[in-house]
Amino acid sequence: MSPPPPPPLGRSRRRGSRSGQFFDPALDDARLGAVRDQLAQGRWSEARTLLAETGDDWDRRGHRVVVLARASGAAAWTRDWLLAEPESADAATLLACATVVGVLRGKEKEQRARDACRDAIRRAPADPTPWLGLLLLARTLGTEEETSQLFDEVRTRHPDHHHAHHLMAARLAERHPDAGQDPLHEVYDFAAWAAEQAPADSPLAILPVVAHAERYRVLASAGQEPGNPAASAHWTGRRARQVLKTAFDWWLEWESEEHPRGRVDLNFLAHAQFHDGRFAEAAALFQRIGPHITPAPWSYPDRDPHKAFLAARNAALGSA
């Protein structure tokens, strides 16, 4: 029996990048995508309702705030919201993250983003999301010490914060790019520690795979590994295969549709399984991913993520 046809790829509303046409950071949160589009048109009341309903589901709140913050005109429209409701912690948090996005796009001053994040922290000291905004800023512009301190602040409020762990893994992977294939590199220790300390059903079980992909990005960019992951032994060594087996076994036992960033993990896991030559496992993951492609890790180290994803998915499904 031939495999079922692959689901069509969705179209993103993002513009300005090679992958923007095919990637929607809202992933499978359809309501979030709709609210983001309304915010881009100046209708912030639905964003207010969405964030109020999200409450203290911190992973979902962080995901939704960051996606809304990337909407066109998000900072300007959220300032209107804050003028209408000066005491709103949700508005202050969204403004903080939108200002961070503006800095990373070269359209805002860094100090303005830092001040906005600190204002949001004062309004909602238990919320890790304003700290996530500062961590996003430090991931690109901060020192290693600052990044670690901000990560600790997020973890103090939500020990299993998914996005924060991914940011930290990416930053740690960039240490010592000339060390080559060091099985004792600290990013691997960090990911193993995070997976071990998390609850049994936590998607942080996939973090060792994420760390492996991030380290490949760094090594390939430094010329230590081939730029084509299919030509790299990075994915087929004993350590890599053990990490993949553990993560895939976890997915078979615990995978659910509930985590807001679950499709991020599935993209990393499918990428690794495919490049380890495990096409049947990769095919199952591609089916679950559906249209929700994420640029990372398909773009690593400098590839067109849409073409790389399609080629891998078609090969995996064609051989399943």
Side-chain angles (χ1 to χ4, degrees):
M1 178 182 294
S2 60
L9 286 181
R11 297 280 174 158
S12 169
R13 299 163 182 82
R14 286 182 60 202
R15 303 292 179 191
S17 70
R18 287 189 301 176
S19 62
Q21 187 178 5
F22 304 98
F23 169 57
D24 187 346
L27 301 173
D28 54 342
D29 191 336
R31 187 177 175 206
L32 172 60
V35 171
R36 182 231 4 243
D37 293 347
Q38 291 170 340
L39 179 63
Q41 297 170 13
R43 291 180 285 167
W44 49 261
S45 62
E46 288 301 315
R48 175 183 59 186
T49 300
L50 181 70
L51 294 181
E53 293 176 359
T54 305
D56 61 359
D57 182 347
W58 298 129
D59 276 337
R60 192 172 305 279
R61 179 174 173 81
H63 173 61
R64 285 177 164 176
V65 167
V66 169
V67 170
L68 292 174
R70 293 172 176 167
S72 176
W77 298 124
T78 307
R79 288 190 185 98
D80 286 351
W81 174 10
L82 200 54
L83 284 173
E85 298 181 359
E87 303 304 317
S88 173
D90 285 350
T93 298
L94 179 54
L95 178 59
C97 290
T99 310
V100 167
V101 170
V103 174
L104 298 178
R105 291 174 174 171
K107 297 180 179 180
E108 283 279 9
K109 293 183 178 180
E110 183 178 348
Q111 190 57 50
R112 190 174 191 179
R114 292 183 180 277
D115 291 344
C117 289
R118 294 294 176 181
D119 178 59
I121 288 166
R122 286 192 294 271
R123 294 168 183 259
D127 186 354
T129 312
W131 291 102
L132 176 65
L134 286 172
L135 182 60
L136 283 163
L137 199 61
R139 164 71 183 92
T140 301
L141 301 176
T143 64
E144 288 190 2
E145 181 180 5
E146 181 190 15
T147 304
S148 296
Q149 290 173 346
L150 292 171
F151 174 70
D152 288 342
E153 292 286 358
V154 175
R155 285 197 74 251
T156 297
R157 292 157 178 82
H158 181 41
D160 305 320
H161 200 289
H162 189 272
H163 195 169
H165 279 81
H166 276 236
L167 291 171
M168 197 64 190
R171 183 62 183 260
L172 287 174
E174 292 166 0
R175 290 181 175 176
H176 312 300
D178 57 348
Q181 285 290 356
D182 180 2
L184 301 179
H185 191 278
E186 56 207 289
V187 72
Y188 300 140
D189 288 341
F190 167 76
W193 164 80
E196 289 168 3
Q197 61 82 39
D201 62 345
S202 170
L204 290 182
I206 306 295
L207 196 66
V209 175
V210 176
H212 204 73
E214 295 293 356
R215 188 60 181 164
Y216 167 74
R217 168 180 59 84
V218 173
L219 293 176
S221 296
Q224 300 280 332
E225 287 289 331
N228 181 355
S232 172
H234 186 77
W235 308 99
T236 57
R238 185 174 67 177
R239 185 199 166 280
R241 286 184 165 168
Q242 181 57 50
V243 163
L244 290 180
K245 181 181 186 306
T246 300
F248 190 74
D249 288 348
W250 177 90
W251 178 71
L252 290 175
E253 182 175 1
W254 291 103
E255 188 268 347
S256 74
E257 298 286 333
E258 295 180 0
H259 196 277
R261 284 170 46 87
R263 292 303 197 284
V264 175
D265 288 325
L266 291 185
N267 274 268
F268 274 95
L269 192 52
H271 176 271
Q273 293 283 16
F274 176 79
H275 290 111
D276 185 30
R278 298 181 180 274
F279 283 10
E281 292 89 339
L285 292 159
F286 281 121
Q287 290 287 2
R288 184 69 76 189
I289 288 168
H292 305 295
I293 174 178
T294 60
W298 302 103
S299 61
Y300 294 170
D302 185 25
R303 310 175 76 210
D304 182 317
H306 177 244
K307 290 182 179 178
F309 177 88
L310 276 183
R313 187 182 70 169
N314 291 342
L317 293 179
S319 65

